Amino acid sequence: MRPSAALALLGAAVTAALLAQHTISVAVLALVLLGVCLRAPRARRWPYLVGTGISALALFVVTPFVETIGSHPLWTGPIVPVLGQLDVTREELSSALFQA
């Protein structure tokens, strides 16, 4: 594949991810990109998979604590002076899954 064609496909994937409104569409896009990544040689693909996995996990864990959305708390934590009350809601978990 020519580099310009690959760049155009990657740009289309980025645009689709940024315009996505539903978690399932982002999941399908992630699975397609995972399939493309798995075609690479094993020695070259593991850094990408590990880096993506670590950053997605960190985003999923941190997002509910820094967002303040929703009204259905699953966990109510302590009050931190700078951040306020730490709580985790269903809506925050849904948003974290979408972003991760």
Side-chain angles (χ1 to χ4, degrees):
M1 179 178 262
R2 294 187 336 223
S4 58
L7 185 61
L9 286 174
L10 184 60
V14 168
T15 303
L18 290 174
L19 295 175
Q21 297 290 322
H22 302 287
T23 305
I24 191 71
S25 59
V26 174
V28 168
L29 183 61
L31 286 175
V32 168
L33 292 175
L34 178 65
V36 170
C37 186
L38 290 178
R39 292 187 58 194
R42 182 171 293 195
R44 292 183 59 194
R45 72 179 172 215
W46 75 267
Y48 295 104
L49 295 175
V50 169
T52 301
I54 289 172
S55 62
L57 180 66
L59 193 61
F60 183 75
V61 169
V62 171
T63 298
F65 294 111
V66 296
E67 278 188 338
T68 308
I69 58 172
S71 60
H72 301 95
L74 300 173
W75 177 75
T76 303
I79 296 175
V80 178
V82 176
L83 301 174
Q85 184 169 5
L86 296 179
D87 60 347
V88 177
T89 64
R90 266 193 341 222
E91 293 84 2
E92 290 170 348
L93 286 177
S94 173
S95 175
L97 180 65
F98 179 79
Q99 294 174 16

